[in-house]
Amino acid sequence: MQGPANGGGITVQRALELPGLRGGLPEVVVGAERLQRTVRWVHAGEVPNIASLLKGGELLLTTGLGLGTRPAEQRAFVRKLAERQIAALVVELGPRFARLPAAIVETARTAGLPLVQLHREVPFVTVTEEVHTEIVNGHYALLQQAEEVHRRCTQALLGGGGVPQVLAILAEFTANPVFLETADGQLLYGAGSPAAGVDPLQVWEGLRGRSRESGPPSHAVLVDVPGGGGGPLPSSGSVRARIALLPVSSPLLPVHRIAAERAAGILAVVLMQARQEEELAARGRGDFLTDLAEGRIAAENAPAQARVLGFKPGEGPLLPVVMRLADDTVAFAPGGGWAVLARAVSEELAAVGVPVLVGVRPVEGRVPLLLGLRSESERTAVADRVAAALRAGVERAGMRSAGRAPVVVVGVAGGWVAASAGLRHASETATAAQGLSDRPWYDARRLDTELLLWRLRDHPDLAAFVERAIGPLQEHDARSKAPLLPTLETYLTHAGRKAETARELHLNRQTLYNRLARIAELLGTDLDDPQTVLALSLALRARRLVSAA
């Protein structure tokens, strides 16, 4: 018995071999070379407009009553059936036709439509039942094959396998290379069929790789792996990744798509599990670094626990670093984003060339790190590379805020005792630095004033101090289209150097002098007085925190 044909139907040849049609002594008049066409369904009819009722792929049974009596009508009838792309036309000879007219035969031959005549009467209902049963059985056989692939993939997963094993099973079943790619078409994994003897990477580069701009090949089978994603599995709606089947060694059949759809569910679980395990591990490292910072782990016990987590620094000093993400990034982080972030940051930091321990603290939106330096003299150079790696990791994970870049704070290098205090200091400082002008990284030692003010942010005395120091300017700027606070901030940033202030603000000297005079007038103070300058600098820094509070 012939197996299921394309689409889970049967072929015209198989339909002619079934008892119902075989009893009618079928003779293939035209299209013997096209008997492998798929029969999707069977339809019997005797009306002239039968073609309008068909969808394609049908085996049409008729006694010829609707074919018409004139050659022109018969030719039009056959042409319309061919245009509908039916599988074959079966005409039962009898009262209507003792033999098929030449117009029907020649039109079928020209149109490439298989034409069969039956020399004995057969009950069309019996033929319909037999063919439909065969089609249903074919679909069931397809599902059984796909379920067997699903069973093998599940067994591989339970046996400790992962994505490569699942793809290898699919590749073996399809006898073609199989790939797992991101939603935007980047290769994650590939597997080839041993029987095909084809290098899957060469296939990818040669066939799938060239289709990134023009779209996937029309003969490829793409199946989405469900679930939110990011990072190496960028999010595209609810698509985490995509299985790509490419017909290199043999054609792809519907059963291959069904099997790929079954495997996609398993891969979704594998990827989700990997993300969960990865995020749990990253959280575990974050918990260790937080416990160290808060004194819950003694300095003498820390090295042994760090080694268990894979951190093995040399004899040089330890450098604490903390990255703080913007609040909106933390609130709307994509599913699995922290696992992706931890992996991306770790991969970026691998190029830094020093031992590193990376953790995540999703609730606080922090990424604490501990790095092993060879000497304290390389602190600045390592901090530059680490800050760049952290920001690159955030970009890869898709967790950068639309409004604010992440804040990176570098602590003081030292031993394990210093690392404990340094992590705590850097964590607090990273929070206090939210909203400052963007820099690649901040030295924790230079932000002690911001940290002090941040700790006082909810105290009513701080708000009162800001109001006394710069209240008149705030009232002016609230009413005026020419605000003065930015001028004062720039002036104090440049330590009262008017030329540099004017250059940064793109003002001429006289305009700047007029603005400074107006500021002094509104505040009733002397901008050259050191105590006044100190108070104004503190008030401007505190203003950001008071406004946020």
Side-chain angles (χ1 to χ4, degrees):
M1 173 179 170
Q2 186 173 336
N6 188 25
I10 65 172
T11 63
V12 175
Q13 179 68 54
R14 174 59 187 161
L16 296 177
E17 293 170 354
L18 294 175
L21 284 175
R22 191 173 69 241
L25 302 179
E27 177 189 352
V28 180
V29 181
V30 169
E33 72 283 2
R34 293 184 172 87
L35 296 185
Q36 297 307 312
R37 283 186 171 184
T38 300
V39 176
R40 186 185 59 80
W41 207 241
V42 180
H43 194 83
E46 304 294 349
V47 294
N49 65 336
I50 189 70
S52 63
L53 305 178
L54 305 178
K55 296 182 178 180
E58 292 91 352
L59 183 71
L60 178 60
L61 307 176
T62 181
T63 62
L65 294 176
L67 269 71
T69 57
R70 293 179 297 177
E73 294 173 336
Q74 296 167 354
R75 282 193 288 268
F77 184 92
V78 174
R79 277 198 300 269
K80 289 178 181 178
L81 293 179
E83 290 170 359
R84 281 289 181 177
Q85 297 183 338
I86 69 169
L89 172 61
V90 179
V91 182
E92 182 184 271
L93 302 179
R96 180 67 181 87
F97 293 121
R99 65 190 186 103
L100 290 177
I104 295 176
V105 174
E106 291 306 317
T107 305
R109 180 176 290 111
T110 302
L113 175 65
L115 177 63
V116 179
Q117 60 185 8
L118 300 179
H119 292 277
R120 290 176 56 187
E121 181 180 346
V122 298
F124 283 175
V125 65
T126 301
V127 174
T128 301
E129 288 177 352
E130 286 182 351
V131 174
H132 287 176
T133 299
E134 193 80 0
I135 291 172
V136 171
N137 288 341
H139 280 291
Y140 180 70
L142 288 182
L143 291 175
Q144 280 192 312
Q145 293 178 49
E147 284 302 323
E148 173 60 19
V149 173
H150 184 267
R151 186 194 65 78
R152 291 179 58 197
C153 291
T154 303
Q155 196 171 34
L157 181 61
L158 295 176
V163 174
Q165 287 73 22
V166 172
L167 294 185
I169 292 170
L170 262 184
E172 179 185 352
F173 178 65
T174 63
N176 281 298
V178 178
F179 304 94
L180 183 68
E181 60 183 40
T182 62
D184 60 356
Q186 301 300 311
L187 178 63
L188 293 173
Y189 299 94
S193 168
V198 177
D199 182 353
L201 292 180
Q202 287 184 355
V203 172
W204 174 266
E205 291 299 328
L207 187 58
R208 183 74 175 98
R210 285 200 302 267
S211 69
R212 287 170 189 157
E213 293 184 3
S214 59
S218 59
H219 47 287
V221 170
L222 302 179
V223 176
D224 290 338
V225 177
L233 303 174
S235 176
S236 175
S238 60
V239 178
R240 169 171 279 134
R242 187 170 287 128
I243 299 173
L245 311 181
L246 301 181
V248 175
S249 305
S250 59
L252 291 172
L253 304 176
V255 67
H256 298 147
R257 173 180 285 279
I258 297 172
E261 290 169 350
R262 298 288 193 277
I266 291 179
L267 289 177
V269 175
V270 172
L271 295 175
M272 185 181 300
Q273 183 181 43
R275 295 252 180 112
Q276 289 174 343
E277 292 176 353
E278 195 167 8
E279 182 168 334
L280 285 174
R283 286 182 183 230
R285 295 190 295 270
D287 291 344
F288 165 77
L289 292 171
T290 300
D291 288 344
L292 177 65
E294 297 180 0
R296 291 189 288 269
I297 297 177
E300 60 270 19
N301 298 328
Q305 294 190 36
R307 280 195 296 272
V308 173
L309 296 174
F311 182 55
K312 300 175 183 178
E315 298 299 322
L318 302 173
L319 182 65
V321 178
V322 172
M323 176 172 66
R324 176 71 160 79
L325 300 181
D327 291 337
D328 58 342
T329 306
V330 177
F332 300 104
W338 286 96
V340 175
L341 175 63
R343 185 196 313 128
V345 166
S346 297
E347 291 173 355
E348 294 289 343
L349 287 171
V352 175
V354 297
V356 60
L357 182 65
V358 184
V360 298
R361 296 283 292 180
V363 175
E364 297 96 343
R366 287 190 287 110
V367 179
L369 304 90
L370 205 54
L371 300 106
L373 304 180
R374 287 182 290 271
S375 66
E376 193 169 351
S377 62
E378 63 177 358
R379 175 179 181 268
T380 300
V382 168
D384 288 339
R385 297 200 297 272
V386 167
L390 287 171
R391 294 193 173 206
V394 169
E395 293 286 351
R396 283 177 54 187
M399 292 181 68
R400 182 184 174 101
S401 167
R404 290 184 291 179
V407 172
V408 178
V409 175
V410 179
V412 179
W416 283 100
V417 174
S420 175
L423 282 168
R424 183 170 60 254
H425 186 204
S427 293
E428 279 194 301
T429 305
T431 303
Q434 294 286 299
L436 291 179
S437 58
D438 187 23
R439 294 183 184 178
W441 59 277
Y442 297 92
D443 190 329
R445 296 171 298 190
R446 297 179 178 274
L447 293 180
D448 279 342
T449 301
E450 273 73 14
L451 180 56
L452 177 62
L453 294 172
W454 177 78
R455 288 173 176 169
L456 296 172
R457 66 192 182 282
D458 294 325
H459 200 290
D461 286 349
L462 186 63
F465 164 69
V466 171
E467 178 60 28
R468 286 194 306 273
I470 60 173
L473 275 187
Q474 294 187 115
E475 292 178 10
H476 171 275
D477 285 6
R479 300 189 307 266
S480 174
K481 294 182 179 180
L484 295 174
L485 278 170
T487 300
L488 179 59
E489 285 185 284
T490 307
Y491 177 70
L492 295 179
T493 299
H494 289 292
R497 293 186 289 271
K498 295 182 177 65
E500 295 179 16
T501 303
R503 188 160 47 248
E504 182 170 331
L505 293 173
H506 305 290
L507 300 175
N508 59 52
R509 288 285 190 93
Q510 189 56 51
T511 300
L512 175 63
Y513 295 159
N514 292 341
R515 287 190 181 183
L516 293 176
R518 178 60 174 155
I519 291 171
E521 179 187 351
L522 287 170
L523 298 179
T525 189
D526 181 3
L527 295 184
D528 293 326
D529 176 56
Q531 291 299 322
T532 298
V533 169
L534 176 59
L536 292 175
S537 297
L538 290 174
L540 288 172
R541 292 181 177 186
R543 172 174 169 266
R544 171 179 58 89
L545 301 172
V546 169
S547 299

